[in-house]
Amino acid sequence: MGADAVVVGSGPNGLVAAVTLASAGRRVLLLEAAREFGGALRSAELTTPGRVHDLGATVMAMALASPAMRGLTLDGVEFAHPPVVAAHPLDDGPAVLVHRDVDRTAEGLGRDAGVWRAVVGAAVRAGFPLTDLLLKPLGPWEPRPAAFAAAARFGVAAALPATTLARRAFRTARGRALLAGMAAHSMLDLRAPLTAGYGLTLAVLAHLVGWPLVAGGSQRLADALVARLRELGGEAVAGHRVRSLRELDAPTVVLDVSPREFAALAEEPGRHGPLPARYRERLLRFRHGPGAFKVDWALDGPVPWRDPAVAGAGTVHLGGTLEEIALGEAETAAGRLSPRPYVLLVQPYAADPGRGGHTLWAYCHVPNGSRADLSRAIEAQIERYAPGFRDRVLARHVMGPAALEAADRNLVGGDIGGGLASLGQFVRRPVWSPAPWRTPLPGVFLCSASTPPGPGVHGMGGWQAARLALGR
């Protein structure tokens, strides 16, 4: 078909961009280089036949909170919530548990209950108006004074390094460890500004919408978005790699690609014209963050956690105290391997028993592009809190940074965050602009996780790019 708009890349942002444009009556062509749609939003039988594993994203809090996605009703997509949102095991006591209920979570923090209610609970009470601001810090939005006031209060704590907020606001090792585990999702040195904000945002989402999984695997969400696009008259083609913008003869082009990939695609001027040299240089200066080292397992039963309460958690943070997690993340940020890395683990069977058995995955952070095998270090952290874990393993599948990038070209060097989440790149992602999704090329837009608001299954980059393309 003669397309009004071509979307390159079918990660969550590309899919949302395509659906948004098609919903407005545009004739949309979606092109994906891989054989399957979804980018990192994919599932496969990685270990043994019949076991469904997610290659990338599993936990979908942002999908439920995002203005771009929460209004979508998609056939075949059911969100499954675990009994416990998240757990943080400790060596010398019961695990810290995060429940959907703020007060129930606070009660488990002892002397830090009041802090949790005051900082996290207040943001939860502000609701979607606050999270909408957090997920679309730039671009068009409707003025809501109450949301601005809540954001201002939230921002005072969020701007701090996680180590600073933890030590100033929390009095117990449990409270400090919980914040550290949340903040370490940022893949930054926890002494860096904004790391408290990353952790607090995830905590707010845990109470506001939960941290659910897609029943049957994350691929179902990608497939449902592709189906919606086709229902709207759009076309989706997998296994088609775009090598140059010259190939795309459409007035609107939306790119769900990394900044460097965009620069490569624009090397030969097409109908949209040449890429200005200064803008190209800024794209090439964009920094990627640490990589991930991921292991998937097929187990013959549930993980034998020392604290049985952890069995009900969809997500488990392994790393012990604030001090230990901060040290491990500082080592990674400095380009070194940590012997006791922070490990982020997901046990899908806690929420979704229909994945063919007890499947499990976990990853730790490593220097970008690292070739080291961290399997033993990850399993040692699990054994630390679940003695006998290795005896449950039937099969394992390992993906280091190179394998992750091979599966999804946007995961440069294993960077699952679409770029370093530092303060500088928070306001310059990938360049400083009040509308960074718009590029200097007329009709060409960028929408990957390298644009605001960054990583996560929220589709906001695609939504913002599509709205700009539509002139909204």
Side-chain angles (χ1 to χ4, degrees):
M1 71 175 183
D4 300 316
V6 175
V7 178
V8 178
S10 68
N13 286 303
L15 290 169
V16 168
V19 169
T20 303
L21 290 166
S23 297
R26 300 298 192 269
R27 294 171 299 170
V28 178
L29 171 62
L30 173 68
L31 299 175
E32 168 56 53
R35 290 178 296 175
E36 299 87 15
F37 297 106
L41 195 64
R42 286 158 51 198
S43 306
E45 296 179 356
L46 297 179
T47 53
T48 59
R51 301 273 184 142
V52 178
H53 298 266
D54 293 325
L55 273 74
T58 296
V59 180
M60 300 290 169
M62 290 188 178
L64 294 187
S66 164
M69 298 184 71
R70 66 174 181 251
L72 292 175
T73 302
L74 300 170
D75 293 338
V77 176
E78 177 185 350
F79 290 99
H81 290 266
V84 178
V85 174
H88 191 118
L90 297 170
D91 294 303
D92 56 357
V96 187
L97 304 179
V98 178
H99 302 279
R100 288 290 301 277
D101 183 72
V102 173
D103 288 329
R104 188 178 178 193
T105 303
E107 289 168 3
L109 295 176
R111 291 188 298 155
D112 285 328
V115 175
W116 194 262
R117 292 189 181 99
V119 178
V120 178
V124 173
R125 290 191 293 275
F128 287 129
L130 173 59
T131 58
D132 286 358
L133 278 176
L134 297 176
L135 288 174
K136 49 177 178 177
L138 300 171
W141 31 257
E142 300 74 29
R144 295 184 179 181
F148 283 125
R153 291 191 296 270
F154 182 81
V156 171
L160 295 171
T163 51
T164 300
L165 180 64
R167 289 171 178 143
R168 288 183 180 177
F170 291 88
R171 293 178 291 177
T172 70
R174 294 172 63 80
R176 291 174 177 177
L178 178 57
L179 179 62
M182 294 281 186
H185 282 248
S186 67
M187 302 179 75
L188 293 172
D189 186 328
L190 297 190
R191 297 170 297 181
L194 294 183
T195 47
Y198 291 117
L200 292 174
T201 299
L202 289 174
V204 170
L205 293 177
H207 297 307
L208 188 62
V209 296
W211 290 5
L213 291 67
V214 175
S218 297
Q219 184 77 54
R220 293 192 178 184
L221 178 56
D223 291 345
L225 286 165
V226 172
R228 175 61 58 83
L229 171 64
R230 288 170 171 159
E231 289 171 6
L232 294 167
E235 183 180 355
V237 179
H240 182 108
R241 180 177 298 284
V242 175
R243 301 185 184 280
S244 172
L245 291 182
R246 295 185 66 179
E247 303 171 30
L248 308 177
D249 188 23
T252 297
V253 173
V254 181
L255 302 171
D256 185 2
V257 302
S258 71
R260 287 182 178 272
E261 184 84 357
F262 175 32
L265 290 172
E267 283 184 353
E268 298 181 10
R271 65 171 285 173
H272 302 279
L275 194 65
R278 185 176 179 184
Y279 182 85
R280 178 184 175 83
E281 290 171 4
R282 286 152 65 186
L283 291 178
L284 296 178
R285 287 201 302 266
F286 185 77
R287 295 178 61 197
H288 280 278
F293 187 95
K294 178 175 181 279
V295 185
D296 287 84
W297 297 271
L299 308 178
D300 66 4
V303 177
W305 299 108
R306 183 182 292 115
D307 182 346
V310 180
T315 302
V316 185
H317 298 153
L318 302 175
T321 63
L322 163 70
E323 290 73 20
E324 181 180 331
I325 295 172
L327 176 61
E329 294 303 281
E331 289 284 285
T332 302
R336 298 185 290 268
L337 295 171
S338 172
R340 299 184 82 184
Y342 163 80
V343 172
L344 195 154
L345 178 147
V346 174
Q347 39 190 14
Y349 57 83
D352 178 18
R355 298 194 177 203
H358 291 84
T359 63
L360 187 77
W361 68 251
Y363 69 75
C364 70
H365 304 149
V366 295
N368 190 279
S370 171
R371 296 180 179 274
D373 187 334
L374 273 290
S375 302
R376 289 182 179 273
I378 289 174
E379 292 192 354
Q381 287 287 58
I382 301 174
E383 281 276 345
R384 173 179 170 185
Y385 300 104
F389 161 74
R390 290 192 180 95
D391 296 334
R392 294 280 172 91
V393 175
L394 298 174
R396 60 176 57 80
H397 179 272
V398 172
M399 296 182 77
L404 289 169
E405 184 173 351
D408 182 347
R409 288 169 65 88
N410 282 2
L411 308 183
V412 178
D415 175 11
I416 61 176
L420 188 69
S422 64
L423 177 60
Q425 289 195 168
F426 180 78
V427 297
R428 194 172 59 248
R429 195 172 183 93
V431 300
W432 163 244
S433 167
W437 312 274
R438 189 193 303 276
T439 80
L441 300 184
V444 178
F445 302 86
L446 190 63
C447 77
S448 67
S450 299
T451 67
V457 181
H458 45 64
M460 288 299 297
W463 184 77
Q464 295 278 37
R467 283 169 63 91
L468 288 171
L470 294 168
R472 296 179 182 173

